[in-house]
Amino acid sequence: MLRLCLPVTFMSPESPYQPRPAESAPRRPSVSVQIGKIIVGGGAPIVVQSMTNTDTEDPISTAKQIAELARAGSELVRITVNTPAAAAAVPRIADRLAMMGVDVPIIGDFHYNGHQLLESEPACAEVLAKYRINPGNVGFGKKKDNQFAAIIEKAIEYKKPVRIGANWGSLDQSMVATLMDENAKRAEPWDASHVAREALIRSALDSAARAEELGLARDRIILSCKVSGVQELIAVYRDLAARCNYALHLGLTEAGMGSKGITASSAALAVLLQEGIGDTIRISLTPEPGGARTGEVIVAQELLQTMGLRSFTPLVTACPGCGRTTSEFFQELAKTVQEHVREQMPLWRIKYDGVENLTLAVMGCIVNGPGESKHANIGISLPGNGESPAAPVFIDGEKAMTLRGDNIASEFVGILDDYVARKYAVRDTHSS
């Protein structure tokens, strides 16, 4: 559904101006990279990924969280591989996932000792679908080049793609020093933030060029240049996107907790995605204590879906409430509907073709209720102050029935389930 509040413009009939719907820029051309069964870049749909926060040495809890993330919609899941015990646990994690019926590519996140772990645990190197390395801490001094080469050689040996992920917080200080020296000689020196951005981008691009020299194909390289600031991220990726055709992974390094993290990630990534930049994304949210890790997956999906870039699950438009609404019932109903949709979506996604495009509306009074409800596939307009205690239900733009009494929530959910079963074709799960 499109809901825009546009200013009124008065024009003469002869005016050549005709308003057009806003559209995102064409996707930036990039080389496609295959990660297990998932394609990143090359015009493929933007991929949602996430990362576990369990101790990888514990295969039970890690496999459980990977499964939760995958079932929530994460198409790639990254895990920390930081110790010999963690590397040894990776095959056991994969075995547990297979027994659980979870088929999602696992990415190994390596820092400092990745070359050693991949060498000492060949089963880990084989099971992982992709390796992620940070050129800023793959090694230091004279060892850096050799240790970077060792990881790339393992990627070539096992036919694995690599994400070269430069990070603002772990830049190669020798490169920073070199760029500072170069900058001092400029007729008009850059400011410090410009130099830092250049160091980040050069770290990624130079590392990618070195990987290709070592024999890693371009279609096995993904780049990222992560920072924590919104404006810095936008500036870095605009520059990076203009200087290469590698597939790009987007995300703030640390977005934060709750509304701050969601707002920061959405503000940064929405600008870049609107400009056609980005092939895979992660929303790096700090979960609430005891909170589910899956929140970052839901935010990533909702960002892409509300921008019209992908569809993952039926969207519920709900009234925010005002003085015309009589109670919190419309809020409770919206929550019930949203939770029902999320609970049913794993089954619906398998069973029904196109159900992710379903739109729903739960409105609180007559002002916008009927209109918004008519724009949705299924909508309900609940009674507000002074209105008749009746709730008309609209299906595909037409009033279908009126609900009354104490069972409106359960009746509306039943109408939703019936609509899905009738409207959407059953997928052929036996076709190859």
Side-chain angles (χ1 to χ4, degrees):
M1 290 183 296
L2 184 64
R3 298 177 298 279
L4 295 177
C5 295
L6 298 177
V8 176
T9 302
F10 295 96
M11 298 176 290
S12 69
E14 295 79 19
S15 172
Y17 173 75
Q18 293 295 331
R20 295 181 301 169
E23 297 179 355
S24 59
R27 288 280 297 282
R28 161 188 168 272
S30 62
V31 177
S32 64
V33 180
Q34 183 157 356
I35 306 168
K37 63 181 181 180
I38 301 296
I39 302 295
V40 172
I46 298 164
V47 172
V48 171
Q49 61 178 281
S50 58
M51 185 175 184
T52 61
N53 61 356
T54 56
D55 183 351
T56 308
E57 294 183 14
D58 179 354
I60 296 175
S61 62
T62 301
K64 180 177 181 290
Q65 191 173 83
I66 291 172
E68 290 170 353
L69 291 166
R71 288 167 180 158
S74 184
E75 295 158 301
L76 301 171
V77 180
R78 182 158 49 111
I79 63 174
T80 296
V81 186
N82 58 336
T83 65
V90 171
R92 287 181 283 157
I93 292 168
D95 289 343
R96 284 187 170 275
L97 290 171
M99 288 188 290
M100 298 164 72
V102 176
D103 181 18
V104 63
I106 305 172
I107 302 163
D109 193 55
F110 294 99
H111 296 272
Y112 308 111
N113 59 353
H115 60 294
Q116 296 172 336
L117 298 177
L118 290 169
E119 176 65 32
S120 62
E121 294 291 341
C124 169
E126 177 64 40
V127 164
L128 292 171
K130 185 180 78 171
Y131 309 153
R132 187 269 181 166
I133 56 177
N134 182 341
N137 59 29
V138 73
F140 302 99
K142 296 179 180 179
K143 295 180 179 180
K144 176 184 175 181
D145 290 343
N146 290 338
Q147 292 174 186
F148 178 84
I151 296 176
I152 298 302
E153 287 163 4
K154 286 298 177 186
I156 295 169
E157 178 183 350
Y158 290 101
K159 298 180 173 59
K160 306 295 182 180
V162 172
R163 171 157 72 93
I164 297 173
N167 192 300
W168 193 280
S170 52
L171 277 172
D172 182 343
Q173 292 305 305
S174 63
M175 174 174 288
V176 174
T178 298
L179 289 177
M180 292 293 285
D181 290 341
E182 291 177 5
N183 190 53
K185 298 175 184 177
R186 296 179 187 274
E188 296 182 5
W190 295 339
D191 60 34
S193 63
H194 191 164
V195 175
R197 290 198 301 270
E198 179 66 14
L200 193 68
I201 293 168
R202 285 267 293 272
S203 177
L205 291 177
D206 290 355
S207 297
R210 177 57 179 153
E212 289 197 63
E213 290 173 3
L214 291 167
L216 188 64
R218 181 168 283 244
D219 65 0
R220 287 189 181 157
I221 299 174
I222 295 175
L223 297 188
S224 66
C225 289
K226 288 192 172 185
V227 300
S228 296
V230 170
Q231 297 297 342
E232 290 86 354
L233 191 84
I234 293 169
V236 165
Y237 273 92
R238 281 174 173 166
D239 197 351
L240 178 64
R243 291 165 65 172
C244 71
N245 67 347
Y246 295 108
L248 299 182
H249 167 69
L250 302 186
L252 292 171
T253 300
E254 297 94 11
M257 181 181 287
S259 60
K260 186 272 178 184
I262 294 171
T263 302
S265 291
S266 299
L269 270 59
V271 171
L272 294 168
L273 293 168
Q274 186 72 7
E275 295 178 2
I277 298 170
D279 302 292
T280 176
I281 67 171
R282 181 192 173 204
I283 306 294
S284 299
L285 294 181
T286 304
E288 299 287 344
R293 190 68 164 178
T294 53
E296 66 179 49
V297 178
I298 293 170
V299 173
Q301 290 180 328
E302 291 181 344
L303 174 62
L304 293 175
Q305 188 156 349
T306 54
M307 292 186 68
L309 299 174
R310 285 192 69 181
S311 293
F312 296 94
T313 189
L315 289 179
V316 179
T317 297
C319 172
C322 69
R324 297 181 63 95
T325 54
T326 57
S327 70
E328 295 182 350
F329 180 68
F330 71 92
Q331 298 165 327
E332 294 167 357
L333 178 58
K335 181 180 179 182
T336 296
V337 172
Q338 183 72 75
E339 290 176 349
H340 180 75
V341 166
R342 290 205 175 278
E343 288 171 1
Q344 294 299 314
M345 198 57 199
L347 175 61
W348 285 354
R349 188 181 292 115
I350 296 170
K351 188 174 182 180
Y352 298 114
D353 188 25
V355 69
E356 62 275 9
N357 297 306
L358 172 68
T359 56
L360 303 162
V362 177
M363 305 303 295
C365 79
I366 199 171
V367 172
N368 291 321
E372 285 283 1
S373 296
K374 289 178 182 179
H375 284 299
N377 294 122
I378 307 176
I380 185 169
S381 180
L382 297 168
N385 286 328
E387 296 178 26
S388 173
V393 175
F394 297 83
I395 298 178
D396 290 330
E398 301 292 334
K399 183 179 176 181
M401 63 199 72
T402 299
L403 303 182
R404 294 180 173 86
D406 298 327
N407 298 317
I408 288 178
S410 60
E411 291 178 20
F412 186 70
V413 168
I415 293 167
L416 166 59
D417 288 342
D418 180 66
Y419 180 90
V420 169
R422 289 186 295 103
K423 179 76 173 182
Y424 296 98
V426 176
R427 292 184 189 272
D428 181 4
T429 57
H430 300 289
S431 62
S432 58

